[in-house]
Amino acid sequence: MCILIDANRTGDLVKSPPGPAARLVLDYVGNSGGKIVVGGKLEKELVHNHNLLKLFVEWKRAQRLVQIKAEVIESRVEELARARLHQSNDLHVLALALASGARVLWTDDRALQDDFRNKSLIDNPRGRVFSGPKSKGLLTRKTCEKACK
């Protein structure tokens, strides 16, 4: 059970009080056995926020944070770039999903959402996009087979 969080959602996680979607993600990772996957460029983008860095340290101590090596992600980025099937400029997020097995993404980026749902890019299982309370069922399914057991 893993989730990827795009950099455009970081403010929601550290906002006080957190909004409904952020509350669900925080509960999922903090209390429900869920994990967040980070690595490479996305990890750098996320930890740019000092308050989020503190949260990541807490999640890492609780074994709720899965870190994927940058080299693994970069090789996937190169494969995706050669395939030219993407619309977004977030190949590093797609590569992280492929490298980790994570299949749930929280983002507001419409092009990235389309790429993440694209069977030609993310498959076996398909990528799904968490958008808030209406999609909270995604935070209870087994969605990460490789890195997050």
Side-chain angles (χ1 to χ4, degrees):
M1 294 192 291
C2 297
I3 188 168
L4 299 167
I5 301 173
D6 192 18
N8 65 26
R9 301 309 310 210
T10 58
D12 295 338
L13 288 174
V14 296
K15 186 169 65 172
S16 183
R23 249 185 272 120
L24 287 168
V25 170
L26 290 167
D27 185 56
Y28 172 67
V29 177
N31 302 319
S32 299
K35 295 182 182 183
I36 179 175
V37 177
V38 297
K41 182 178 176 183
L42 182 62
E43 184 173 5
K44 289 177 185 172
E45 290 174 350
L46 294 174
V47 299
H48 182 69
N49 182 316
H50 180 69
N51 291 328
L52 193 58
L53 178 59
K54 287 186 209 176
L55 189 56
F56 277 15
V57 168
E58 180 182 319
W59 285 344
K60 188 172 183 174
R61 285 185 187 139
Q63 298 180 338
R64 301 277 187 235
L65 184 80
V66 177
Q67 292 177 293
I68 305 297
K69 293 182 180 184
E71 311 84 63
V72 175
I73 299 165
E74 282 306 311
S75 81
R76 293 293 183 120
V77 166
E78 292 168 13
E79 291 171 23
L80 289 166
R82 281 193 301 272
R84 296 183 184 190
L85 297 171
H86 61 283
Q87 299 173 27
S88 71
N89 62 353
D90 290 306
L91 287 179
H92 61 287
V93 177
L94 300 171
L96 182 56
L98 292 171
S100 69
R103 293 298 188 263
V104 176
L105 170 68
W106 185 30
T107 184
D108 277 343
D109 183 328
R110 189 60 74 186
L112 179 56
Q113 289 176 2
D114 291 345
D115 283 348
F116 203 77
R117 290 182 181 121
N118 183 341
K119 182 177 174 56
S120 300
L121 294 169
I122 307 287
D123 196 24
N124 245 356
R126 296 278 297 273
R128 305 219 180 225
V129 176
F130 172 77
S131 58
K134 289 182 181 178
S135 59
K136 69 181 178 184
L138 294 176
L139 301 182
T140 59
R141 296 181 184 159
K142 270 196 159 180
T143 53
C144 184
E145 297 299 323
K146 296 176 187 173
C148 302
K149 289 184 178 181

